[in-house]
């Protein structure tokens, strides 16, 4: 019994370290609110031949709901979940495995501040949407990386406005604000 308790404690400490280590995930994990999911998916403005990136996808709640909606509407929309935390990557893969639209969901382990957007995706798909739910002090750094590589995109930010895009801002009020640029 004591060895089982020690084993559980060690596993718990490892999981805590994986979620709190700045080297593995500089942004803490907070999932988007379930109550706001329909509004977030609406803000993505899903359409055919679109690519939707979820930068800092966490457990995939937004990307999977968007992929489900696209599947139900028979849209040929591609979804790319970008996450750095290995535990969350594992959860994303497990959830994708059982998803009805799994052929259109790709999971990428990368750092959202340094990632290179795949040129093949940009050429193949005309419309690109990026969903962000990250700490406000990281938003501008992420937006600079995106704008450096992609010119014509729509950006959806959950809870936090993006100051450099303020002139294009539309807001949807749910439980929390959803900012569309």
């Amino acid at each position: 019994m004591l060895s089982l308790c020690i084993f559980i404690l060690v596993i718990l400490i490892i999981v805590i370290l994986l979620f709190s280590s700045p080297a593995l995930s500089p942004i803490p994990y907070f999932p988007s609110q379930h109550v706001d999911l329909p509004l977030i998916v609406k803000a993505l403005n899903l359409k055919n031949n679109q690519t939707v990136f979820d930068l800092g996808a966490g457990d995939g709640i937004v990307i999977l709901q968007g992929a489900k909606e696209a599947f139900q509407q028979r849209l040929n929309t591609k979804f790319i979940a970008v996450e750095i935390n290995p535990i969350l990557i594992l959860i994303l893969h497990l959830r994708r495995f059982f998803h009805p639209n799994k052929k259109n969901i790709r999971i990428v382990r990368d750092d959202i501040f340094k990632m290179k957007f795949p040129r093949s995706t940009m050429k193949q798909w005309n419309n690109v949407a990026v969903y962000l739910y990250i700490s406000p002090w990281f938003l501008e750094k992420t937006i600079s990386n995106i704008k450096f590589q992609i010119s014509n995109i729509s950006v959806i930010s959950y809870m936090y406005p993006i100051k450099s895009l303020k002139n294009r801002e539309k807001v949807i009020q749910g439980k929390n604000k959803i900012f569309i640029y």
Side-chain angles (χ1 to χ4, degrees), residues 50-162:
Q50 180 184 29
T51 302
V52 176
F53 286 89
D54 185 348
L55 302 184
D59 64 0
I61 187 174
V62 170
I63 210 88
L64 296 170
Q65 185 64 35
K68 181 180 175 185
E69 183 73 26
F71 181 77
Q72 291 170 344
Q73 293 181 25
R74 293 184 169 83
L75 297 174
N76 188 21
T77 307
K78 301 295 182 196
F79 296 88
I80 302 173
V82 181
E83 180 56 56
I84 196 168
N85 186 308
I87 300 272
L88 294 172
I89 290 284
L90 177 63
I91 291 168
L92 279 164
H93 280 291
L94 288 172
R95 294 184 75 193
R96 180 191 171 273
F97 183 77
F98 295 104
H99 199 280
N101 197 9
K102 64 183 164 195
K103 72 177 180 72
N104 285 325
I105 302 170
R106 193 166 135 222
I107 299 165
V108 176
R109 183 167 191 258
D110 207 342
D111 182 337
I112 64 173
F113 306 122
K114 299 175 186 172
M115 75 174 282
K116 304 286 184 241
F117 287 85
R119 289 286 172 215
S120 61
T121 300
M122 299 311 129
K123 290 176 187 170
Q124 184 179 5
W125 305 99
N126 301 327
N127 303 305
V128 176
V130 175
Y131 175 75
L132 297 165
Y133 177 30
I134 60 175
S135 306
W137 46 90
F138 289 117
L139 275 172
E140 292 300 332
K141 183 177 181 182
T142 306
I143 289 298
S144 319
N145 184 36
I146 295 168
K147 285 177 20 181
F148 177 72
Q149 299 180 60
I150 311 169
S151 56
N152 190 18
I153 60 168
S154 64
V155 177
I156 295 84
S157 177
Y158 187 61
M159 285 184 60
Y160 305 112
I162 302 169

